[in-house]
């Protein structure tokens, strides 16, 4: 559901975002899970769980964007986090309880880290993302293309995440070089090509906002 709600929250109309948020809250209210240690059943819409997903998601986007060489200042990063309290509200969180700056986000992760663990579900997702189900004829392409993308994404995880998965963390400098190289390559794709690729709802959102709203590094300071 997280991947589905992001486009509507970020690139849809206010009404579409509110509808998407209501739908996510409705679905979450019907879902439960079981604590593997205690056997206790709990709802997936518990605030602590929603807050973790929100913070991990937003931090990942911001972290990779800056690490890939996009010129975002600290003040702009804080603004990005503060503005995302709106998306947090849409999934059922109290915006006042959501980190609104880099300092608040760092404090949240410092507090949450002792409670983290890589259980069977996390390892199943890990395996799925590295080796998603693919038609047999496409397996070679998956190994050549997708596996490299997935490995770079996992390499960008913070050191404590690698520790939880029980594998050594790659050298940060090497990962940063790969992210910068990938970011530079993608940002060199001509605009006339790049803007033919997004899904239609993104193109409609950009059309509503006008051509000046298209993101570009040189516009960040505006």
């Amino acid at each position: 559901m997280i991947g589905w709600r992001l486009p509507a929250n970020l690139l849809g109309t206010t009404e579409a975002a509110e509808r998407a948020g209501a739908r996510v809250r409705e679905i979450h209210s019907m879902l439960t899970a079981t604590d593997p240690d205690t056997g206790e059943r709990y709802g997936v819409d518990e605030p602590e769980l929603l807050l973790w997903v929100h913070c991990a998601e937003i931090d990942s986007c911001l972290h990779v964007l800056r690490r890939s060489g996009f010129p975002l200042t600290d003040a702009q990063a804080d603004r990005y986090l503060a503005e995302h309290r709106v998306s947090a509200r849409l999934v059922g969180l109290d915006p006042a309880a959501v980190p609104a700056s880099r300092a608040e986000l760092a404090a949240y992760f410092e507090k949450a880290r002792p409670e983290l663990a890589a259980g069977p579900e996390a390892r199943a997702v890990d395996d799925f993302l590295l080796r998603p189900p693919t038609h047999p004829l496409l397996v070679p392409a998956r190994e050549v293309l997708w596996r490299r993308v997935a490995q770079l994404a996992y390499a960008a995880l913070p050191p404590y995440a690698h520790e939880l998965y029980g594998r050594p963390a790659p050298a940060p400098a090497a990962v940063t070089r790969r992210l910068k190289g990938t970011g530079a390559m993608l940002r060199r794709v001509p605009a006339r090509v790049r803007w033919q690729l997004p899904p239609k709802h993104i193109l409609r959102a950009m059309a509503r906002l006008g051509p000046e709203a298209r993101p570009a590094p040189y516009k960040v300071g505006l």
Side-chain angles (χ1 to χ4, degrees):
M1 293 306 300
I2 295 302
W4 171 77
R5 74 176 174 86
L6 266 176
N9 285 356
L10 297 180
L11 297 164
T13 63
T14 299
E15 293 77 12
E18 293 290 351
R19 287 196 302 270
R23 179 58 176 158
V24 169
R25 294 194 301 273
E26 179 185 7
I27 293 174
H28 282 175
S29 70
M30 298 184 289
L31 299 177
T32 60
T34 302
D35 188 313
D37 295 325
T38 66
E40 178 186 0
R41 298 288 294 177
Y42 59 88
V44 301
D45 59 352
E46 290 189 2
E48 294 83 359
L49 300 178
L50 294 177
L51 183 59
W52 165 255
V53 172
H54 172 85
C55 290
E57 176 185 340
I58 300 308
D59 178 69
S60 296
C61 293
L62 182 60
H63 177 77
V64 170
L65 179 69
R66 302 189 80 184
R67 204 170 170 186
S68 68
F70 196 89
L72 208 63
T73 67
D74 290 345
Q76 290 164 337
D78 284 343
R79 177 181 173 182
Y80 172 82
L81 295 171
E83 289 179 351
H84 260 289
R85 287 180 295 178
V86 174
S87 64
R89 176 187 64 78
L90 289 172
V91 297
L93 285 167
D94 176 4
V98 176
S101 68
R102 290 170 300 111
E104 292 179 8
L105 190 61
Y108 166 78
F109 282 122
E110 188 67 25
K111 180 180 178 181
R113 280 178 58 181
E115 302 178 25
L116 300 178
E121 295 84 357
R123 298 187 185 281
V125 172
D126 177 65
D127 184 68
F128 175 85
L129 293 177
L130 288 173
R131 289 170 291 275
T134 307
H135 189 282
L137 294 178
L138 297 178
V139 168
R142 181 190 68 183
E143 295 303 308
V144 172
L145 300 175
W146 175 253
R147 194 169 182 82
R148 293 183 180 182
V149 173
Q151 286 176 340
L152 179 57
Y154 271 96
L157 288 172
Y160 69 80
H162 290 285
E163 182 179 345
L164 289 172
Y165 278 113
R167 57 193 176 212
V175 177
T176 298
R177 284 195 299 270
R178 291 172 62 193
L179 287 171
K180 285 186 176 180
T182 302
M185 178 183 67
L186 293 175
R187 286 190 280 271
R188 288 194 181 98
V189 176
R192 64 180 179 276
V193 175
R194 187 168 61 247
W195 287 101
Q196 298 302 315
L197 300 177
K200 290 183 179 180
H201 67 274
I202 295 180
L203 296 177
R204 287 195 296 267
M206 300 310 298
R208 286 195 303 271
L209 294 171
E212 289 304 313
R214 290 185 175 184
Y218 72 88
K219 296 179 181 177
V220 171
L222 297 179

